[in-house]
Amino acid sequence: MNDYSVLVYGATFWGIGFAAASSGVLVIDPGINPGHEFADTFCTKICRPEQLQTEFARYFYSVLQKHNAIHDGKLHPAALVPMLCSFILEHKINVLLDTILIEKQPVCIMSGASKRNISADQIIDTLTPSGTVWKKYFNALLHGEENAVIPTEYLNGSADSPTIAPGRFSSEAVLHFPVSPGTGYAEARQELEAFWRLRPEMLSKWKIAALAPEFYEITDSSQQKNRFFSQGYSDPLLALDSGIMEALK
Amino acid sequence: MIRYDIIVAGAGTAGVFAALSAAKQGMNVLLLEKTTACGGIGTNGAIAPYYDRSFIDLSADIDKDVFDRQDGSGFLLPLKRNCVSTELLKRAYEQELLKNGVEIIYRAVVSGVLSDGNHVIGLRWHDPQGNHEAGAGVVIDATADGTVLALAGAEFLEDGIRQPYARIYSYLAGDSLWNFGGDAGYVNQDDPENLSLELLKSAAAQVPEQFSEVEKRFLTAPVPGLREGRHLRGRETVRFSDIVHNKQTGNPVAREYANFDTHTIDLVFEDEEFYLFCVAALQWETHFNITIPFGALLPVGMEGIIAAGRMISADHEASQGVRMKGCMKHLGAIAGAAAAISVKKKISLSKVSSQEITALYPLPERAELLKQNTDLWLSDPVEIKEKLKKSNPGTAIWSAYLNGVTEPLYELLDESGFARVHGAFALALQHDKKALKVLRELVEREDQTRSETLRNEPVREPHGAIAAYLLGRLNDKESFPLLCSLFENSRDFFFVSAAWHSLLRLTENNSELRRSGYEVLKSFAEGQRKIPPFRCYCGEICDATEKMKSITLKHLKNITL
Ligand SMILES: Cc1cc2nc3c(=O)[nH]c(=O)nc-3n(C[C@H](O)[C@H](O)[C@H](O)COP(=O)(O)OP(=O)(O)OC[C@H]3O[C@@H](n4cnc5c(N)ncnc54)[C@H](O)[C@@H]3O)c2cc1C
């Protein structure tokens, strides 16, 4: 079957939410990890369940909780990919991973070496911000040795300097490292490594376990303009909830 | 249109060194990578260990530099302390590439090939900014799966079975970082629907009861842990059979030193000679020199494109040995050098001399262990016979097979223990029916004894199971009822699968057994019976019922009653 009502670009939380509450939707993603826009940027933020408007999103929240991935308003980011994959299978959402959108008219998608034309009444792009990016971060997942604490100056720093957010476990934290919007991955890695090499002694109990495979981008705040852009939401469940709401409209 | 001397597709294990080696020859190089970092499985896939080591200085120098500074780096280090941090390597590769003038574009997926007849002259790619194209003197396909070659219309070797893949994630192991690369089953990455479904299923299967701080998870790798994909049909091909029969010839440009590191869920599903070699001759762990001729990197009937990485021309069995990081980096460097020579001298890739390449990147030596594969094999029948008496007969079984040693082994059949069993195995490999008595006995008592490999590891398959397989090889019709009973009643997976394999053969090859064999196999294929579960190579519990049913159904279709 190659006819779809909607082609969603991005197996993002928003995109998966939208597809879960619609029919005739195909979701494609260039990567292999659904929910990468939050998982691969090490998001530790999670809203309260009361903030969620849909049954689906509250259900996802409860499953995260059941598997010990949320505690005290903080999220274990490594839980997102496996849990979202499980959600996609459970709700039989039509997802093609490792697939790019190479032409919009006519719609042509490509996976590995195979290209195909499909028809879709609408394309929703959840990967590209429609507003301008005004803040960009290259994050790193930190592992704390015994008794590692996050120094207050990093907990409450300004958005323009490196800050550290606690994760779900006491030994888990995320370094939010700001870079300018035009920075590429090579430069970002260089800047972050240089900062980390000269980090102050008070961070010595923290080690970098992984560098984010993706930038975390914050766009101008007009939600209307950016309502499809999944990373524009402050946490994965708000994005999921919003995708579902959009489908139910 | 912008033009580069060389475009490398894929900045993975091989691609990084293809680009570096070409740039070091003064080439203007573009490197396209679909993820956001260099290094492929060795960085994005968090696979830190070398199977053997890095075979080229280009890579060994980078490794050493990172290794020397990683202790105070503030990065979590790999569990195996001789390994290099995969996160620090990403930057180290990038730095070296940029220093040598290579232009890198991330999030660039190759989407098409520019060609002039059968000559590749450039590439198209897609990145978040849109679609682009550029011309090139030579294109190097380092995408692991041969995606560019497929887009260019290259031919591939017969599509056979592939190795299981892994859904890798990194996690906290003690006070270090390690990767979980356990097998996640079979996948066909050329079928987008199948790949997606398997990626979803394998990640979903990794949801634990409770996420926890012990073995805390870090990241699901952004690249799939694919061990095998398309194999190019090259001007020359690396073949398993040539390796184990000492028939490797030609002018090699690279050399792998590895065992046939198979992750197949059971070797009965593989080619017969591969089973005989790995299981019946106990050679699964033996390391070999596997030589790679230059022609294995060159597609037949095509110009302007060269392969670097695990898609080179090697058959499925050989490729299980020719895929390790050290060798892939070497192949990358070779492809880069060959491309540079082709561009500089304005000659086609097939005209580049392998001597010129090996002058730049010499073949790695393993003098301390093994100079020639032939050093492994025994030729003296007396020595072969003596070795067969041991629990770890080394290469004696295969040596007997290679040299046609039969008669001196008959005496062993009257002995007891390993001598008797190994003697029977060596004879059965050679279709000698004198082995039948011993083999039948082993099956009758479901003999659970296990021999040891060259490295003194017990093999997975017990003597009785190997014997059940060999009875099929010898077309032993008399064993048919015995094998039926074993297949239907044994509670040990290896006995069941070996008996099943032999039943398929006996049913196909003997008209008088056809109807009864058909009934037994059909009742299994269409019934509810579950095959006993077992532990596969990576230690996970596997269930092969569906795989065995689908193979059975295929065979039944070809049987005329
Ligand atoms: C789970 C697992 C464990 C392993 N363990 C070991 C080990 O312990 N020791 C060892 O020596 N070997 C090990 N290996 C084998 C070895 O790591 C690989 O065989 C080897 O790294 C493959 O190298 P490659 O260059 O062919 O592919 P890769 O390293 O995978 O590189 C391919 C690159 O191409 C990019 N790419 C793909 N398609 C495109 C496209 N269309 N456009 C642009 N870019 C593209 C990819 O993103 C990637 O960066 C392991 C392999 C696996 C899967």
Side-chain angles (χ1 to χ4, degrees), chain B residues 9-15 32-35 39-42 47 49-51 108-110 142-144 147 166 168 181 223 225-227 308-310 323-326 328:
Chain B
T13 315
L32 301 171
E33 169 53 42
K34 90 170 159 186
T35 68
I41 289 288
I47 301 291
Y50 276 107
Y51 202 78
V109 183
V110 173
T143 59
T147 304
I168 311 166
V223 291
L226 296 163
R227 292 192 173 86
R310 64 169 161 77
R323 62 187 180 88
M324 308 313 174
K325 285 185 342 187
M328 297 302 108

Side-chain angles (χ1 to χ4, degrees), chain B residues 319-330:
Chain B
S319 77
Q320 310 190 37
V322 187
R323 62 187 180 88
M324 308 313 174
K325 285 185 342 187
C327 181
M328 297 302 108
K329 291 176 176 188
H330 190 188

Side-chain angles (χ1 to χ4, degrees), chain B residues 177-188:
Chain B
L177 185 139
W178 205 237
N179 66 75
F180 173 82
D183 293 348
Y186 291 94
V187 66
N188 174 8

